[in-house]
Amino acid sequence: MTRTQSTLSFAVLTVFLTGAGCSYEQTVKPPRAGQTDMLPAHAYPQIAAQDSLDKVVRFGEPVVEPAANGKPMRVTVPVRSLDDRHAVNVQYRFEFLDDSGRPLTGGTGWRYQSMPSRVQVFFDGVALGGGVSDWRLIVRLAQ
């Protein structure tokens, strides 16, 4: 056996033994720990625009009718596209939250809306149950 073959054999054996050790270690590692979100809950936006919609869509002052006399909370948000040439097709959904900031079951689900160029439209959401203290609107490009 030449010196080059000997060195190559040693390298292959080292890689094999190292790889065998690594596969065993991976089976005993714990799951990765979650990282703390540095954004405080009170700083999370009430209207969250996904897919870079914050650059082409503007939101007006929401009209909130709080839950009262057996009627659920209702929220209407005026929205306008800034695109000069095309309609912007989006989906939106309202989440309704309890007084601790937890989402209540029975959100509105995703709704489709075509937004004509520069024309105001209205996103409307009604809570399906009681115990609602707050709301959040999520908007994304239509899928």
Side-chain angles (χ1 to χ4, degrees):
M1 183 180 282
T2 67
R3 186 173 189 176
T4 304
Q5 290 174 328
S6 172
T7 304
L8 182 60
S9 296
F10 178 73
V12 169
L13 181 61
T14 302
V15 167
F16 174 74
L17 291 175
T18 304
C22 288
S23 65
Y24 174 74
E25 287 179 29
Q26 288 178 353
T27 61
V28 296
K29 288 183 179 181
R32 296 184 192 277
Q35 301 297 314
T36 302
D37 190 350
M38 299 307 289
L39 180 69
H42 69 273
Y44 195 89
Q46 193 156 36
I47 299 174
Q50 299 177 348
D51 306 319
S52 298
L53 284 171
D54 60 314
K55 294 174 179 54
V56 295
V57 174
R58 293 297 179 262
F59 301 91
E61 188 67 30
V63 176
V64 180
E65 298 172 26
N69 300 325
K71 291 178 118 181
M73 177 184 279
R74 180 178 180 178
V75 180
T76 303
V77 179
V79 185
R80 191 169 64 89
S81 165
L82 300 180
D83 193 305
D84 283 326
R85 298 169 295 162
H86 306 289
V88 176
N89 298 318
V90 299
Q91 288 177 299
Y92 70 93
R93 72 181 167 99
F94 283 89
E95 291 180 344
F96 292 96
L97 312 170
D98 67 13
D99 57 357
S100 296
R102 290 184 298 243
L104 298 168
T105 57
T108 62
W110 290 104
R111 296 181 184 169
Y112 173 84
Q113 177 72 51
S114 182
M115 298 174 55
S117 175
R118 300 208 172 263
V119 175
Q120 190 177 56
V121 296
F122 297 88
F123 295 170
D124 196 51
V126 178
L128 299 179
V132 176
S133 297
D134 205 0
W135 59 276
R136 182 178 294 154
L137 172 63
I138 299 127
V139 184
R140 68 182 184 192
L141 286 173
Q143 299 179 0

